[in-house]
Amino acid sequence: MGMGIGMGDDAVQPFKLDGSGFHGRLVRLGPAADRIIGRHDYAPPVAGLLAESLALTGALAAALKFDGVFTLQLSGDGPLKFLVTDVTSDGNLRGYAGLREGAPMPGTGRAPIPRLVGKGYLAFTVDQGVHTERYQGIVDLIGGTLQDCVHHYFRQSDQFSAVVKLHGGRTRDGQWRAGALMLQRSPETEDPNRQDATEEAWREALIMLGSCTDDELIARDVSAHALLYRLFHEDGVRVFEPRSLQFSCRCTDRKVERVLMALRDDELEEMMVDGKIVVTCEFCNESRVFDREQVTGLRSS
Ligand SMILES: [Zn+2]
């Protein structure tokens, strides 16, 4: 383990509570979150929400069986126009935010969703390629935090009977970190004759989950195992093989070239500055520069 890298960073740790049968996942992001956020120069409320959204994306995606891309999108009429985070089934995570021009950003720390994103919606998509189903869940943004908004979604969803605790924040040395602790039950597997006991166990598990502090959720020096053990050892917590998450953007030279090839001549001319076209990926902020000769070459090939 490298110096300064937290235990269990950039990973999804699945777990099960043997006593009650509930299961869950603990997502902890260190360098991955810091690299994704560090590619942009967002105001702290936006960066904080992006951090939480990355952790939430990791937690929700790990709860679904799919082969492709899981996307979470927040969209609204506030100063933060939209925020997109996505993860592939291989654990490649990325995200960015779109700001509304001329709209002043509220505050310098955390800002409530209604002031930051305004009226809007939260959407989830699973894309498994052209010939497969796209699952989409969409709900109005209701609540002060992303955690509240996702709980509103859970209440309306057939897919999830769950709760999640989210936090994103910066360490004293300025590194972004994020965490998501999600606990789920599967009503279809629960014994109807033990319903009272199951409800009681669920309430207790939620109290334990609620006792996890923001600092603890993202702490570099508390391992995922140690945290889960502290919270759930009385219910017999069992951990499974963790899955890693890493920052990786899916933009490629080839994709950008295809976009340039599809444009009209006048559109290309408009993009040309000093004989060059600069295409910047919104997700990773990486710029690719094409001179006139390259563009002409592409379009005649
Ligand atoms: Zn990119």
Side-chain angles (χ1 to χ4, degrees):
M1 202 160 295
M3 288 290 286
I5 297 202
M7 291 174 273
D9 269 354
D10 296 345
V12 184
Q13 174 63 67
F15 63 91
K16 189 177 175 188
L17 308 184
D18 278 334
S20 54
F22 306 138
H23 59 284
R25 279 157 301 283
L26 172 59
V27 174
R28 301 183 106 195
L29 299 175
D34 195 60
R35 285 182 65 200
I36 293 167
I37 295 167
R39 294 240 157 182
H40 304 273
D41 187 22
Y42 297 135
V46 175
L49 187 60
L50 179 54
E52 288 188 358
S53 181
L54 289 165
L56 176 62
T57 300
L60 291 176
L64 299 168
K65 284 194 174 62
F66 69 103
D67 183 14
V69 184
F70 174 86
T71 305
L72 185 154
Q73 182 163 1
L74 278 145
S75 182
D77 61 5
L80 175 58
K81 202 168 159 187
F82 64 85
L83 188 145
V84 189
T85 44
D86 69 23
V87 66
T88 67
S89 24
D90 297 329
N92 293 327
L93 187 65
R94 60 180 192 167
Y96 79 104
L99 307 177
R100 183 164 274 106
E101 258 174 70
M105 198 49 69
T108 52
R110 302 171 77 80
I113 295 273
R115 288 190 57 207
L116 191 57
V117 196
K119 284 192 179 60
Y121 63 84
L122 173 65
F124 308 91
T125 318
V126 172
D127 193 341
Q128 306 195 80
V130 271
H131 301 297
T132 51
E133 221 174 315
R134 265 169 92 92
Y135 162 77
Q136 197 166 41
I138 184 162
V139 287
D140 288 333
L141 284 178
I142 292 179
T145 62
L146 181 58
Q147 188 177 308
D148 296 339
C149 294
V150 79
H151 283 159
H152 175 65
Y153 166 68
F154 287 156
R155 282 193 293 275
Q156 311 213 328
S157 157
D158 307 327
Q159 192 104 358
F160 294 105
S161 183
V163 290
V164 66
K165 179 175 170 62
L166 294 174
H167 185 61
R170 246 184 306 194
T171 59
R172 257 186 229 107
D173 56 359
Q175 306 258 309
W176 280 98
R177 297 182 61 80
L181 175 57
M182 184 167 163
L183 194 64
Q184 245 182 305
R185 54 193 288 189
S186 318
E188 66 280 5
T189 63
E190 289 169 6
D191 183 351
N193 298 316
R194 298 193 67 248
Q195 209 49 45
D196 286 352
T198 307
E199 291 303 331
E200 180 60 28
W202 181 246
R203 274 193 297 274
E204 279 169 15
L206 295 193
I207 289 169
M208 290 324 291
L209 184 138
S211 79
C212 174
T213 65
D214 288 348
D215 286 345
E216 201 175 22
L217 185 57
I218 64 168
R220 200 156 25 194
D221 55 357
V222 179
S223 73
H225 289 186
L227 179 55
L228 290 173
Y229 184 78
R230 187 194 72 70
L231 296 171
F232 301 118
H233 68 98
E234 281 180 16
D235 209 352
V237 62
R238 186 150 52 104
V239 293
F240 302 96
E241 194 62 32
R243 288 168 60 184
S244 64
L245 294 167
Q246 57 282 329
F247 165 51
S248 175
C249 193
R250 297 198 303 285
C251 64
T252 60
D253 292 350
R254 190 72 201 125
K255 279 186 193 168
V256 175
E257 286 168 10
R258 269 202 294 262
V259 171
L260 293 180
M261 284 157 81
L263 290 172
R264 289 195 316 265
D265 285 344
D266 60 312
E267 288 173 324
L268 276 175
E269 279 313 313
E270 229 166 83
M271 291 172 74
M272 201 74 79
V273 177
D274 298 331
K276 287 185 174 65
I277 289 180
V278 180
V279 183
T280 305
C281 173
E282 289 170 308
F283 273 98
C284 67
N285 222 13
E286 193 84 39
S287 288
R288 291 178 170 84
V289 184
F290 298 82
D291 60 27
R292 191 176 288 277
E293 214 172 303
Q294 284 170 301
V295 174
T296 314
L298 275 176
R299 291 166 72 82
S300 60
S301 63

